[in-house]
């Protein structure tokens, strides 16, 4: 459809922030248009969370197969057809992205494919792929244009030798040697995935540790796990230049470590140094919307400095995570529909889907100490859980933090199998204002990994059952 249209709300960007917002607006009876320039589902469903988790799952299956002999299973890994794996992954993406359109329409919203540009706080132009311009008037605009990978000097993405995360998730031939620039969560997920599939992976990180911002315990644990998987990590290393290989010879990546250059052979180099918000070309500055370092700040109602314009998801700033964006989308929709809603989440869980998984929520121990908070900590190893032993997954721990005086749960870090699922219990505890004692007194089914949370909660009081407790004065 082209020409002119009017809607009570227009959401720009159909990622997990924007499409959730559009569904919620529809549910609340607001006449809504969802606009996207490229694809429904955004980065998350097309080239982010979902495809990466599919490939990571496949790589875990490979790892299980490699260790099946420990359980007396005589299985042989005959080979990996990465092209077929990609077809399987694309099938999952297609199902999910198709579902987004149906859900939005099912809730009463409409979808328009095209690139949006604001022309005033209540009007915008949407240019379709064929150049047709649709002029839209509205009462409310929700900005949800997300983010894209950052390039570094000398490493422009050609998606053949120098890959963004998007290119890394689309490989159809397993590279022999992969250099990953960036030891953050995306770099480590991709690196650990390809290492499990059989690629020789080297991670190059500019800082003096991988996973900047994570606790020293997590960093130590993950560094050991990566080493076990054969992933080489070079810290304090600056990637300077690259040259692609030719005639079947590998390319090279030059990195500077302690003032000296090193040349690393590579079939591909993946640059995963962070993501940049998509705020350019939207006409924001022209109509007076505040833009700070590319991000569009919003208040707890997700409203920008211009009352008719809201911002959600990666574009609104940290934490740049799909589930945080979805929550912001729901809040914006409710505010637009006239409800008294605000983003008052006490915590946002974060997961790194490496082998093993890392999941955190709330405060880290070192942060609590930096803030001068009086805390109690309970830690429980996976190795002491019957379930972890019986699933051959004893690498890991649960660490729970509680306020020393009130016993309120303040945070947790969980490293190990299914940490991504386990963390939800602690997030709920924080949201509900539960104490460590509440978690300790809750009966957890046996034998399960969540027993680790119950035991860590007991350990907060020096009362873990299946592990020795540090000596306490009676
Ligand atoms: P996006 O998903 O970026 O979507 C924005 C949409 O806006 C896009 O579809 C784009 O086409 C559209 N758009 C942009 N400009 C315009 C315009 N002018 N007009 C119309 N449309 C426009 N997060 C997690 O929580 N868990 C994970 O496991 C996870 N894994 C990830 C793995 C990878 C490899 C990557 C790259 C990211 C991962 N993320 C993960 C991050 C997650 O993908 C993002 O936080 C999330 O997609 C942000 O959602 P969003 O809705 O803000 O924007």
């Amino acid at each position: 459809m082209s020409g002119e249209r009017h809607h009570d709300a227009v959401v720009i960007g159909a990622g997990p922030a924007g499409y959730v917002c559009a569904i919620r607006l529809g549910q609340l009876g607001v006449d809504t248009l969802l606009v996207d320039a490229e694809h429904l589902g955004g980065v998350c469903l097309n080239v982010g969370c979902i495809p990466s988790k599919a490939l990571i799952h496949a790589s875990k299956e490979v790892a299980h197969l490699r260790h099946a002999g420990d359980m007396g299973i005589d299985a042989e890994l005959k080979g990996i057809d990465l092209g077929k794996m990609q077809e399987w992954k694309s099938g999952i993406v297609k199902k999910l992205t198709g579902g987004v359109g149906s859900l939005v329409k099912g809730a009463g919203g409409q979808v328009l494919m095209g690139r949006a540009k604001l022309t005033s706080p209540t009007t915008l132009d949407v240019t379709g792929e064929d150049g047709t311009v649709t002029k839209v008037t509205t009462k409310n605009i929700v900005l949800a244009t997300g983010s894209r990978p950052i390039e570094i000097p000398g490493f422009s993405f050609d998606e053949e030798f120098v890959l963004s995360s998007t290119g890394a998730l689309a490989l159809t031939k397993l590279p022999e040697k992969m250099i990953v620039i960036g030891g953050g969560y995306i770099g480590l997920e991709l690196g650990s995935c390809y290492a499990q599939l059989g690629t020789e992976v080297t991670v190059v990180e500019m800082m003096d540790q991988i996973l900047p911002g994570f606790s020293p315990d997590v960093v130590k644990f993950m560094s050991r796990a990566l080493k076990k998987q054969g992933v080489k990590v070079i810290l304090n290393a600056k990637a300077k230049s690259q040259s692609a290989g030719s005639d079947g010879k590998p390319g090279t990546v030059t990195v500077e470590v302690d003032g000296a250059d090193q040349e690393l052979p590579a079939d591909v180099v993946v640059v995963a140094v962070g993501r940049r918000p998509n705020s350019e070309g939207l006409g924001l500055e022209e109509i007076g919307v505040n833009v700070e370092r590319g991000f569009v700040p919003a208040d707890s109602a997700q409203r920008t400095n211009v009352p008719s314009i809201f911002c959600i998801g990666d574009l609104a700033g940290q934490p740049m995570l799909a589930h945080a964006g979805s929550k912001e989308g729901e809040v914006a929709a409710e505010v637009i529909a006239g409800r008294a809603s605000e983003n008052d989440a006490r915590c946002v869980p974060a997961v790194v889907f490496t082998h093993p998984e890392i999941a955190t929520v709330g405060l880290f121990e070192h942060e609590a100490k930096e803030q001068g908070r009086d805390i109690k900590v309970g830690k429980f190893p996976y190795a002491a859980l019957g379930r972890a032993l019986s699933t051959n997954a004893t690498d890991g721990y649960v660490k729970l933090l509680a306020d020393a005086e009130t016993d309120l749960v303040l945070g947790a870090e969980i490293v190990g199998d299914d940490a991504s699922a386990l963390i939800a219990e602690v997030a709920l505890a924080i949201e509900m204002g539960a104490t460590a004692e509440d978690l300790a007194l809750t009966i957890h089914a046996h034998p399960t990994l969540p027993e680790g949370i119950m035991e860590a909660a007991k350990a907060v009081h020096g009362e873990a059952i299946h592990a020795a407790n540090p000596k306490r004065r009676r």
Side-chain angles (χ1 to χ4, degrees):
M1 212 188 284
S2 64
E4 290 180 10
R5 11 192 337 166
H6 176 84
H7 295 273
D8 288 343
V10 177
V11 182
I12 306 174
Y19 85 72
V20 168
C21 182
I23 292 171
R24 189 76 185 115
L25 280 162
Q27 282 174 356
L28 295 168
V30 179
D31 164 33
T32 299
L33 178 69
L34 174 64
V35 181
D36 200 288
E38 230 181 299
H39 38 208
L40 299 184
V43 167
C44 172
L45 268 58
N46 291 280
V47 291
C49 324
I50 298 299
S52 62
K53 266 79 260 184
L55 293 188
I56 288 167
H57 174 74
S59 75
K60 276 190 184 168
E61 295 287 304
V62 170
H64 285 154
L65 207 55
R66 289 212 171 97
H67 295 113
D70 302 351
M71 292 176 268
I73 300 168
D74 186 12
E76 193 188 343
L77 179 65
K78 291 210 173 123
I80 293 167
D81 181 343
L82 200 58
K84 200 160 179 197
M85 201 182 280
Q86 291 291 2
E87 279 172 28
W88 167 74
K89 179 208 83 178
S90 302
I92 298 163
V93 168
K94 206 169 155 204
K95 255 186 226 149
L96 279 169
T97 51
V100 168
S102 312
L103 286 169
V104 172
K105 287 172 197 155
Q110 294 181 47
V111 174
L112 178 65
M113 296 310 290
R115 188 160 293 280
K117 183 173 181 198
L118 277 62
T119 45
S120 83
T122 52
T123 57
L124 57 145
D125 287 349
V126 180
T127 309
E129 244 182 42
D130 60 357
T132 29
V133 179
T134 306
K135 298 213 166 282
V136 187
T137 55
T138 185
K139 292 180 190 150
N140 300 283
I141 295 173
V142 183
L143 305 169
T145 53
S147 64
R148 63 187 186 280
I150 294 178
E151 278 184 339
I152 52 174
F155 289 80
S156 297
F157 298 132
D158 59 26
E159 303 300 9
E160 278 187 15
F161 181 61
V162 183
L163 310 179
S164 66
S165 54
T166 304
L169 290 170
L171 288 171
T172 49
K173 193 170 157 271
L174 205 57
E176 258 179 57
K177 290 182 170 49
M178 174 186 276
I179 307 288
V180 178
I181 301 176
Y185 87 94
I186 293 178
L188 292 192
E189 284 187 5
L190 291 168
S192 152
C193 171
Y194 278 103
Q196 301 285 337
L197 292 175
T199 296
E200 198 182 296
V201 176
T202 303
V203 175
V204 173
E205 167 57 51
M206 213 160 104
M207 313 279 277
D208 59 1
Q209 67 161 70
I210 53 167
L211 294 172
F214 280 77
S215 78
D217 277 3
V218 166
V219 172
K220 206 161 103 195
F221 195 99
M222 203 56 228
S223 303
R224 239 184 17 231
L226 289 171
K227 200 168 172 192
K228 251 200 224 165
Q229 287 160 30
V231 176
K232 193 173 164 198
V233 177
I234 309 179
L235 298 173
N236 301 308
K238 187 170 176 228
K240 283 173 72 176
S241 60
Q242 49 78 25
S243 88
S246 60
D247 305 327
K249 286 199 198 118
T252 52
V253 174
T254 306
V255 294
E256 186 188 318
V257 190
D258 298 329
D261 283 356
Q262 284 184 19
E263 261 197 9
L264 308 173
D267 297 305
V268 289
V269 49
V270 180
V271 180
V273 295
R275 298 187 59 81
R276 185 191 300 289
N278 293 327
S279 49
E280 305 90 346
L282 280 165
L284 299 180
E285 280 97 342
E286 292 90 318
I287 58 165
V289 177
N290 268 351
V291 180
E292 289 176 13
R293 289 176 297 107
F295 293 99
V296 178
D299 63 15
S300 61
Q302 301 304 142
R303 208 188 286 273
T304 68
N305 63 311
V306 176
S308 61
I309 301 179
F310 294 72
C311 183
I312 57 177
D314 282 10
L315 183 66
Q318 297 294 342
M320 292 163 82
L321 293 170
H323 43 282
S326 298
K327 174 72 184 172
E328 292 161 11
E330 289 184 59
V331 170
E334 286 166 8
V335 172
I336 290 169
R339 293 206 176 179
S341 183
E342 69 170 325
N343 192 349
D344 57 358
R346 289 185 176 174
C347 62
V348 180
V351 177
V352 186
F353 290 83
T354 39
H355 303 274
E357 291 179 354
I358 301 164
T360 63
V361 70
L363 276 185
F364 281 122
E365 188 177 354
H366 66 281
E367 285 173 340
K369 283 184 180 151
E370 277 159 21
Q371 289 173 15
R373 290 189 77 141
D374 199 5
I375 55 159
K376 292 179 294 183
V377 178
K379 200 170 170 185
F380 194 81
Y382 267 45
L385 287 168
R387 178 67 177 182
L389 280 158
S390 57
T391 54
N392 227 1
T394 49
D395 252 8
Y397 65 86
V398 180
K399 189 200 272 187
L400 194 79
L401 262 68
D403 186 274
E405 194 186 330
T406 61
D407 200 37
L408 284 172
V409 177
L410 298 177
E413 66 191 44
I414 305 179
V415 181
D417 255 31
D418 279 342
S420 54
L422 267 62
I423 203 71
E425 179 179 348
V426 186
L428 182 66
I430 295 174
E431 285 295 340
M432 302 286 292
T435 60
E437 187 182 31
D438 291 327
L439 292 180
L441 290 176
T442 302
I443 297 176
H444 286 64
H446 175 76
T448 61
L449 294 179
E451 285 177 292
I453 294 175
M454 176 183 71
E455 288 277 15
K458 290 180 192 290
V460 163
H461 305 124
E463 292 171 351
I465 298 294
H466 294 91
N469 293 288
K471 283 219 162 46
R472 290 190 311 153
R473 246 187 261 139
R474 287 180 194 280

